[in-house]
């Protein structure tokens, strides 16, 4: 808790926003290695894992890039990232 911001609730919202299981399924189905996806998004491998695991949020530009890379339909994108 810092300056009126409860980071625990913020962390819960981050984890709730991304459907981790569906994202992992799409990544596995794509055949791309996570190291490639991380490079594609200009992230470190650990940074990508933090986002996949819900420890930090995907930026809008990252959602667009990963959606393009995985060829997600708008519905799939919304289900995974904005549920």
């Amino acid at each position: 808790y810092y300056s009126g911001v409860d980071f625990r609730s913020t962390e819960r919202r981050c984890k709730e926003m991304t459907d981790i299981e569906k994202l992992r399924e799409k990544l596995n189905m794509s055949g791309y290695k996570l190291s490639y996806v991380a490079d594609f998004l200009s992230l470190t491998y650990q940074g990508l894992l933090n986002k996949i695991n819900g420890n930090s949020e995907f930026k809008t530009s990252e959602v667009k890039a990963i959606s393009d890379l995985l060829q997600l339909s708008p519905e799939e994108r919304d289900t995974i990232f904005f549920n």
Side-chain angles (χ1 to χ4, degrees):
Y1 196 85
Y2 180 74
S3 298
V5 176
D6 183 351
F7 287 105
R8 292 169 298 182
S9 66
T10 303
E11 181 178 322
R12 281 193 299 273
R13 281 197 309 272
C14 293
K15 288 182 179 179
E16 290 171 1
M17 283 206 59
T18 302
D19 187 329
I20 295 166
E21 292 304 316
K22 285 189 186 197
L23 178 56
R24 285 184 181 276
E25 177 185 325
K26 289 293 183 181
L27 286 166
N28 287 336
M29 289 173 52
S30 75
Y32 293 119
K33 293 186 178 200
L34 290 182
S35 58
Y36 175 80
V37 176
D39 286 341
F40 184 81
L41 297 174
S42 299
L43 296 171
T44 63
Y45 180 79
Q46 188 60 49
L48 177 61
L49 287 181
N50 285 337
K51 290 174 187 271
I52 290 172
N53 291 326
N55 296 324
S56 61
E57 291 184 5
F58 282 95
K59 295 178 185 176
T60 305
S61 59
E62 294 165 343
V63 170
K64 179 167 180 3
I66 202 166
S67 297
D68 291 345
L69 178 68
L70 300 179
Q71 298 180 337
L72 300 178
S73 70
E75 294 81 17
E76 290 173 315
R77 179 203 59 215
D78 291 350
T79 298
I80 292 170
F81 293 103
F82 306 111
N83 64 8

